[in-house]
C-alpha cells in the first residue's frame, strides 16, 4: 500500500519573510507604547505643576485681596518691615509687599496689621530662571525671612513681575504675571503664561 504524504514544513524564505513582518509590527507596537507612556508622564507633570502654580497664585491673590498699603519695587533687598504705599508699572516690579488683614499685638494697647511680601528672585542667567519667594511676619516688628513657595525641581520660571496701580479712594489693584515651563526632559516640556489681576477690598 502506497501512502502519499504531501505535508511539508516552512521554507527558509517563508521564515525570513514572517520574521521580518513580525519585527516590523513589534517595532511599531513598542514605539507606540513608548509614545503613550511619554505623553502620560507629560500630562502628569503638567497636572502636578499647574496644581502647584494654581495653589500659589490662589493663595497670593487671596492674601493680596484682603491686604492694604500695596508696595511695589524693583529692589529686592528693600526693608519692608516699615513702608508707605507705592505703585509701579511696567515689567520691573519684582517685589510686592502689603499689610495683611491678620493682626497681632504691637506691644502696647493697640494691634498692628502684619506685613506679607512676595518677590521674584533670579537664580541663574544661563538659562535665565527665577524663583518665587514669600515672607511674612508672625508678630509686629518681626524681620521677614523669605522662602521659596514653588517646586523648583518641576516648575521653572523664566519671568515674573508685579504691577501695582493706585486707584481712587484708597483702593489699588495689582497685576501679576508668571511665565515658564514644567518638566525636566526636552520632549516633555510644558510652557505656561499665567496672569491675574487682584484689587484690594479694604481701602488704605
Amino acid at each position: 500500500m502506497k501512502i502519499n504524504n504531501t505535508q511539508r514544513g516552512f521554507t527558509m524564505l517563508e521564515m525570513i519573510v514572517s520574521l521580518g513582518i513580525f519585527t516590523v509590527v513589534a517595532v511599531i507596537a513598542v514605539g507606540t507604547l513608548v509614545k503613550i507612556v511619554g505623553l502620560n508622564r507629560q500630562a502628569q507633570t503638567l497636572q502636578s505643576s499647574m496644581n502647584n502654580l494654581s495653589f500659589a497664585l490662589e493663595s497670593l491673590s487671596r492674601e493680596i485681596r484682603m491686604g492694604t498699603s500695596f508696595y511695589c519695587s524693583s529692589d529686592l533687598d528693600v526693608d519692608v518691615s516699615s513702608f508707605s504705599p507705592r505703585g509701579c508699572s511696567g515689567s520691573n516690579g519684582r517685589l510686592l509687599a502689603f499689610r495683611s488683614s491678620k493682626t497681632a499685638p504691637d506691644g502696647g494697647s493697640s494691634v498692628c496689621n502684619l506685613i506679607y511680601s512676595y518677590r521674584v528672585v533670579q537664580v541663574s542667567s544661563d538659562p535665565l530662571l527665577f524663583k518665587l519667594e514669600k515672607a511674612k511676619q508672625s508678630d509686629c516688628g518681626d524681620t521677614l525671612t523669605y522662602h521659596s513657595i514653588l517646586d523648583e525641581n518641576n516648575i521653572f520660571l523664566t519671568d515674573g513681575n508685579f504691577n501695582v496701580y493706585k486707584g481712587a479712594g484708597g483702593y489699588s489693584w495689582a497685576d501679576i504675571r508668571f511665565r515658564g515651563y514644567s518638566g525636566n526632559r526636552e520632549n516633555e516640556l510644558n510652557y505656561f503664561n499665567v496672569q491675574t489681576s487682584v484689587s484690594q477690598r479694604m481701602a488704605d
Side-chain angles (χ1 to χ4, degrees):
M1 182 176 179
K2 185 178 180 180
I3 300 177
N4 185 17
N5 187 358
T6 58
Q7 294 180 346
R8 63 187 180 88
F10 295 105
T11 65
M12 181 64 70
L13 180 60
E14 291 172 334
M15 290 291 291
I16 293 174
V17 171
S18 300
L19 185 59
I21 293 174
F22 174 78
T23 302
V24 171
V25 173
V27 168
I28 294 174
V30 170
T32 303
L33 179 60
V34 170
K35 184 69 173 178
I36 292 174
V37 171
L39 289 174
N40 182 58
R41 186 186 297 113
Q42 184 178 12
Q44 290 180 344
T45 300
L46 178 61
Q47 182 67 36
S48 175
S49 302
M50 290 302 99
N51 286 344
N52 194 330
L53 186 61
S54 296
F55 178 79
L57 275 178
E58 179 60 29
S59 175
L60 187 156
S61 299
R62 183 172 58 251
E63 291 172 350
I64 293 176
R65 190 176 295 115
M66 300 305 296
T68 58
S69 303
F70 291 1
Y71 176 88
C72 183
S73 175
S74 59
D75 184 2
L76 298 179
D77 296 321
V78 64
D79 180 13
V80 296
S81 59
S82 178
F83 62 86
S84 299
R86 173 185 174 184
C88 65
S89 60
S91 60
N92 294 324
R94 299 292 187 184
L95 180 145
L96 173 62
F98 54 92
R99 298 193 182 280
S100 170
S101 59
K102 296 183 179 180
T103 59
D106 66 355
S109 58
S110 60
V111 297
C112 71
N113 289 87
L114 300 177
I115 296 173
Y116 284 18
S117 181
Y118 288 87
R119 67 182 185 181
V120 179
V121 181
Q122 182 177 335
V123 293
S124 68
S125 57
D126 188 20
L128 183 62
L129 293 175
F130 299 85
K131 64 179 178 179
L132 177 62
E133 294 184 332
K134 175 184 178 179
K136 63 180 182 179
Q137 290 180 331
S138 57
D139 202 356
C140 303
D142 278 357
T143 301
L144 280 77
T145 302
Y146 289 90
H147 63 276
S148 179
I149 60 174
L150 289 179
D151 180 6
E152 296 171 33
N153 296 318
N154 203 28
I155 298 179
F156 304 91
L157 294 181
T158 56
D159 193 16
N161 58 70
F162 307 101
N163 295 323
V164 172
Y165 304 92
K166 305 301 292 181
Y171 292 91
S172 301
W173 71 93
D175 286 332
I176 306 162
R177 186 178 67 174
F178 297 113
R179 286 194 303 226
Y181 61 90
S182 64
N184 293 289
R185 299 182 181 181
E186 184 64 32
N187 61 340
E188 296 178 1
L189 299 183
N190 297 286
Y191 294 88
F192 59 82
N193 185 352
V194 294
Q195 184 172 352
T196 185
S197 183
V198 184
S199 59
Q200 68 182 89
R201 292 185 175 178
M202 298 180 293
D204 290 342

